[in-house]
Amino acid sequence: MARIAKIEKREDLSPEHHGVFDAIAESRGRVQGPFPMLLHSPELAGRVAHLGAHVRFEMGLSQKLKELVILTVARELDCGFEWSVHAGHARAAGISDDCIEALRTRREPAGLTPEEADVRRYARELLQSHRVSADAFAAVEARLGPAGCVELSALIGYYVLLACVLNSMEVEPAEGEKPLDL
């Protein structure tokens, strides 16, 4: 059970914040995940949602690479809710069940393309040591260019932000979702 009440209805907000609620619901189909928590600070929720729309739908990284990175963040930060939502998105983007299970159980997945392996290495280094080695950076920069390095770092940071909100507020995955082993 979450530590604070979820704001899941428009009426739970003052009228001047209904637009933020509506925009979040429209862009995501409903208000879910970290947003019922973030709406305790409506201005922040709106800005996070706007950034998320750009990160998820407008950046140049392929959906498969994005989902690999998101699962890497979810696993490294032990964020069960983030994991439960994005495991399905990862499958839809073409990530195999074997790869998803390897990530879930903290094993290095077999069969990644060189690009996927480079992006995963970059994400893990940043998350684990808070830096990216020269070799890992150079490999990603050679594949994605400078803009791709910036976008990859921002993608990682965005999902770290969400994981911090979800974990600190103890937002759990939906009933019946396969849990992460902590």
Side-chain angles (χ1 to χ4, degrees):
M1 175 179 248
R3 289 182 158 166
I4 60 176
K6 293 181 179 182
I7 296 177
E8 298 177 302
K9 296 183 296 204
R10 178 178 209 259
E11 299 75 34
D12 293 338
L13 292 168
S14 59
E16 68 265 20
H17 297 120
H18 287 178
V20 172
F21 185 95
D22 294 344
I24 292 169
E26 183 179 327
S27 71
R28 289 161 170 73
R30 63 188 170 131
V31 174
Q32 65 177 345
F35 291 99
M37 300 297 142
L38 287 166
L39 279 165
H40 284 278
S41 177
E43 182 67 25
L44 177 62
R47 290 174 186 247
V48 170
H50 185 72
L51 176 61
H54 179 73
V55 165
R56 283 191 66 201
F57 306 117
E58 298 169 13
M59 284 195 331
L61 298 172
S62 73
Q63 198 59 38
K64 188 174 183 182
L65 284 179
K66 287 179 194 174
E67 294 301 335
L68 178 64
V69 168
I70 295 165
L71 289 185
T72 298
V73 171
R75 178 68 271 183
E76 291 294 324
L77 274 69
D78 297 326
C79 187
F81 187 94
E82 199 167 72
W83 179 272
S84 71
V85 170
H86 284 278
H89 294 321
R91 276 184 204 89
I95 297 176
S96 72
D97 286 335
D98 288 342
C99 178
I100 292 168
E101 184 61 14
L103 294 170
R104 190 184 74 75
T105 57
R106 298 187 188 276
R107 292 178 289 116
E108 198 55 38
L112 295 180
T113 68
E115 181 180 47
E116 292 163 354
D118 287 344
V119 166
R120 176 155 158 74
R121 176 182 174 199
Y122 184 107
R124 289 191 72 212
E125 285 187 12
L126 185 56
L127 293 164
Q128 292 177 354
S129 69
H130 313 131
R131 301 283 184 276
V132 177
S133 68
D135 289 345
F137 189 91
V140 168
E141 185 179 29
R143 293 183 185 286
L144 305 177
C149 291
V150 170
E151 290 183 350
L152 176 58
S153 297
L155 175 69
I156 295 163
Y158 177 74
Y159 280 93
V160 166
L161 165 68
L162 297 185
C164 286
V165 171
L166 292 161
N167 284 349
S168 66
M169 300 299 154
E170 295 184 350
V171 177
E172 296 295 323
E175 189 76 26
E177 292 290 334
K178 189 172 188 174
L180 282 176
D181 300 325
L182 299 180

